[in-house]
Amino acid sequence: MRLQPTAGVSRPGGGSHSVQSTHDGRAPSQARNSPAAWRAFDGLTRVLPGRVIAFGIGTMVTVIRALQVGPTSAVAKTAEQAMAIAILFIAGVLGGVVLFVILRATHKRHAVALGLALGVALGIPAMLISLNASATASVGARGSAVWVVGTFLVWGAILGSAERRLVASQKADDSADTAIERIDRRRFMVRQGGATALVTVAGAVVGDLAETRRRLALMMAARGESMRWSATHPLPNADAVVQPAPGTRPEFTPLERHYRIDINTISPTVDERQWGLHITGLVEQPLTFTLPDLQRYEPMHQFVTLSCISNPVGGDLIGTTRWTGVSLQRLLPDLRLKPGATHLKIRSADGFFELVSVDAIGADPRIMLTYAWDGVPLAREHGFPLRIYIPDVHGMKQPKWIESIEAIDHAEPGYWVQRGWNPVAQIHATSVIDTVAVDMTIIGTQRRKLVPIGGIAHAGARGISKVEVQVDGGPWEQAELRTPLSLLTWVIWKYDWPFQPGNHTFTVRCYEANGAPQIATPSRAAPNGATGLNSRSMMV
């Protein structure tokens, strides 16, 4: 059934509040718009062993940070798309080599037919992988299958025709000298690679053009400054005494700079007009909530810092903004769970899933289904139309593009837990040096020149009680803490260091609200999240 306002379901705190969407629902679906290479790559990421995926993620983040080529999440997506095209290109070249050998052995008979057969041989597996990658998405499976297989058929026909001429040319030149044979082989490789590249790049360009048009349209709508909450409201700590050191990252992350890490080279596109949140499993009666249904509940607004479990110490896969949604605790009675239901299994349009216990929801009203951030609807890349927020855990436990919630009577590992990541994924306390503002020195008491040093400290929902800074292995000095935006966000810290010229190493550490120190022992991100102290060395 589709739950409507008149269906007799309780609406706690309901009213006229509604967040209007800027999505018109007419954008092409993920499967029809994404190049075949990217969909096939997404499918591979779902079937490869978790250790392989973890190694790939860690390596990618390390290389991006070392090269300093831009924001980690944005560069990572570009790198994933490039790898997808490279994989398809290499597969095409190898397939062409096989076809060339067969044509030589058969004296170039049935070249186009053999090329089409090769297209089918490669296209069907790619199509199956592609469909598996978006099996739960609101997409047209038939259109996706036709597009993928059709692309490979065109490639096979072109390749078969080209290689028939190449084989004929080589047969005619069998009496020529070795140098000419080498030229023929070289010409074959050039033409074979060119044919493969043509189809690969053409598919990528077509998809990318459509993607770019939609992205620009969404960005233009989202960038309407008058629409955003932060454009017309002061931050709740605007009057805080401690001000950030110059060069500290923005305390409130601009939406365009909020990190995005997920399992897709291209994000799912969800048609709001057809979307519904389906409630199934151990419930008295299956339900479907529309987005307006959810928006009729009393809205919850929370300032939240969200971080990725793949974020290295000092990395940029972390951001803070104001989320709007409905508390799952408030929604829970209307789900009408049966007595045996212990967990909610939340599934996304991209195949991602995670579980939340009913007891946790009952104990924490901050767990919420989120449909807006900074006063505007979620961007497509960040989970439109619905995602979940769970305090104190990394983003790997928080699905985006939510399509269904199934009530079940047992616990089971979620998507990334099945692939070897920590089953709890609690955020570790961490502190980061953002800036050593040597060009912004101030004059302190006794006419001493002071250098502002600053950054952020974060311990999930557990809070920060103290931050300390160490210079060149010396004593730990306590920094000042700025009042945070909320108990769920990072804390801005600042320390005015008495200036001394020379080469120095600065290190920072923090303590949770209960006095527990952050873990100083370095560890990589997989599988429990990175730990260690952040340091910065520089000449001042």
Side-chain angles (χ1 to χ4, degrees), residues 175-471:
S175 59
D177 59 25
T178 304
I180 294 178
E181 290 180 8
R182 286 198 299 268
I183 292 173
D184 282 341
R185 293 193 186 98
R186 196 177 305 124
R187 183 172 59 183
F188 154 70
M189 293 303 295
V190 170
R191 291 188 181 182
Q192 146 70 11
T196 303
L198 177 63
V199 175
T200 303
V201 174
V205 168
V206 169
D208 194 51
L209 287 176
E211 171 66 17
T212 300
R213 286 195 297 269
R214 184 168 63 253
R215 186 187 299 271
L216 288 175
L218 295 180
M219 286 178 63
M220 289 177 64
R223 285 180 175 174
E225 291 299 325
S226 61
M227 296 174 59
R228 297 188 181 183
W229 178 91
S230 59
T232 56
H233 297 79
L235 295 177
N237 63 348
D239 297 329
V241 175
V242 177
Q243 295 298 310
T248 303
R249 73 188 69 191
E251 186 172 24
F252 188 86
T253 308
L255 298 187
E256 295 82 7
R257 293 178 57 181
H258 201 287
Y259 84 93
R260 169 212 165 191
I261 294 291
D262 50 61
I263 58 176
N264 312 286
T265 51
I266 292 294
S267 303
T269 298
V270 178
D271 187 338
E272 182 186 344
R273 296 174 302 180
Q274 299 179 5
W275 178 86
L277 176 63
H278 304 293
I279 312 298
T280 62
L282 297 176
V283 294
E284 295 297 333
Q285 184 178 8
L287 303 172
T288 295
F289 290 88
T290 65
L291 193 57
D293 287 335
L294 296 175
Q295 291 167 349
R296 290 187 184 94
Y297 285 83
E298 179 181 353
M300 170 180 282
H301 309 288
Q302 298 189 104
F303 290 90
V304 167
T305 294
L306 195 65
S307 67
C308 178
I309 197 169
S310 297
N311 195 34
V313 174
D316 61 353
L317 300 179
I318 185 171
T320 297
T321 192
R322 179 179 181 267
W323 299 92
T324 297
V326 55
S327 169
L328 253 180
Q329 186 182 92
R330 184 176 292 271
L331 186 67
L332 200 60
D334 291 343
L335 303 187
R336 299 177 183 175
L337 304 182
K338 291 183 177 180
T342 60
H343 291 77
L344 301 184
K345 187 172 185 178
I346 302 170
R347 291 188 176 91
S348 298
D350 60 348
F352 184 81
F353 63 93
E354 189 51 70
L355 278 78
V356 184
S357 74
V358 174
D359 287 344
I361 295 170
D364 192 345
R366 300 172 301 178
I367 300 175
M368 71 173 181
L369 297 176
T370 302
Y371 47 75
W373 60 346
D374 198 12
V376 297
L378 293 171
R380 169 174 166 258
E381 292 84 355
H382 291 273
F384 177 85
L386 195 68
R387 63 185 295 169
I388 192 171
Y389 169 66
I390 305 171
D392 218 31
V393 298
H394 285 290
M396 61 161 275
K397 304 282 285 185
Q398 314 206 34
K400 299 181 283 189
W401 307 290
I402 296 174
E403 287 193 330
S404 69
I405 296 178
E406 179 187 5
I408 59 177
D409 61 0
H410 61 278
E412 61 182 62
Y415 183 92
W416 283 113
V417 178
Q418 288 183 351
R419 287 155 177 80
W421 292 80
N422 187 285
V424 178
Q426 185 181 49
I427 295 172
H428 295 302
T430 187
S431 51
V432 180
I433 299 173
D434 282 338
T435 179
V436 180
V438 293
D439 296 329
M440 302 293 291
T441 56
I442 58 177
I443 304 300
T445 59
Q446 301 177 355
R447 306 297 298 172
R448 297 191 66 180
K449 183 183 292 187
L450 304 176
V451 175
I453 303 174
I456 58 107
H458 183 229
R462 304 184 304 281
I464 297 293
S465 62
K466 184 168 62 173
V467 172
E468 295 178 329
V469 177
Q470 182 188 61
V471 183

Side-chain angles (χ1 to χ4, degrees), residues 139-160:
V139 298
R142 181 178 300 176
S144 174
V146 171
W147 169 253
V148 174
V149 176
T151 299
F152 277 93
L153 287 175
V154 171
W155 167 79
I158 294 174
L159 198 59

Side-chain angles (χ1 to χ4, degrees), residues 14-264:
S16 61
H17 174 81
S18 177
V19 177
Q20 297 300 320
S21 172
T22 58
H23 298 246
D24 64 6
R26 292 175 292 181
S29 69
Q30 176 194 19
R32 288 190 294 270
N33 183 62
S34 305
W38 297 348
R39 296 199 306 277
F41 184 82
D42 287 346
L44 286 176
T45 63
R46 288 155 171 80
V47 298
L48 288 174
R51 290 184 179 180
V52 174
I53 299 300
F55 175 79
I57 292 172
T59 301
M60 186 182 301
V61 171
T62 299
V63 170
I64 292 171
R65 293 194 70 202
L67 297 178
Q68 297 182 346
V69 291
T72 303
S73 58
V75 176
K77 287 303 170 188
T78 302
E80 289 172 6
Q81 294 168 1
M83 285 190 290
I85 293 175
I87 290 172
L88 182 60
F89 179 79
I90 293 171
V93 170
L94 294 177
V97 170
V98 172
L99 180 60
F100 184 80
V101 172
I102 293 174
L103 289 178
R104 286 198 63 187
T106 59
H107 304 288
K108 70 179 187 303
R109 290 194 298 269
H110 314 298
V112 175
L114 287 172
L116 290 172
L118 178 63
V120 170
L122 293 179
I124 290 179
M127 179 264 292
L128 293 175
I129 292 174
S130 173
L131 292 181
N132 178 69
S134 55
T136 62
S138 303
V139 298
R142 181 178 300 176
S144 174
V146 171
W147 169 253
V148 174
V149 176
T151 299
F152 277 93
L153 287 175
V154 171
W155 167 79
I158 294 174
L159 198 59
S161 177
E163 292 194 0
R164 177 179 59 188
R165 293 193 294 270
L166 286 171
V167 171
S169 175
Q170 189 178 57
K171 293 292 185 181
D173 291 342
D174 276 345
S175 59
D177 59 25
T178 304
I180 294 178
E181 290 180 8
R182 286 198 299 268
I183 292 173
D184 282 341
R185 293 193 186 98
R186 196 177 305 124
R187 183 172 59 183
F188 154 70
M189 293 303 295
V190 170
R191 291 188 181 182
Q192 146 70 11
T196 303
L198 177 63
V199 175
T200 303
V201 174
V205 168
V206 169
D208 194 51
L209 287 176
E211 171 66 17
T212 300
R213 286 195 297 269
R214 184 168 63 253
R215 186 187 299 271
L216 288 175
L218 295 180
M219 286 178 63
M220 289 177 64
R223 285 180 175 174
E225 291 299 325
S226 61
M227 296 174 59
R228 297 188 181 183
W229 178 91
S230 59
T232 56
H233 297 79
L235 295 177
N237 63 348
D239 297 329
V241 175
V242 177
Q243 295 298 310
T248 303
R249 73 188 69 191
E251 186 172 24
F252 188 86
T253 308
L255 298 187
E256 295 82 7
R257 293 178 57 181
H258 201 287
Y259 84 93
R260 169 212 165 191
I261 294 291
D262 50 61
I263 58 176
N264 312 286

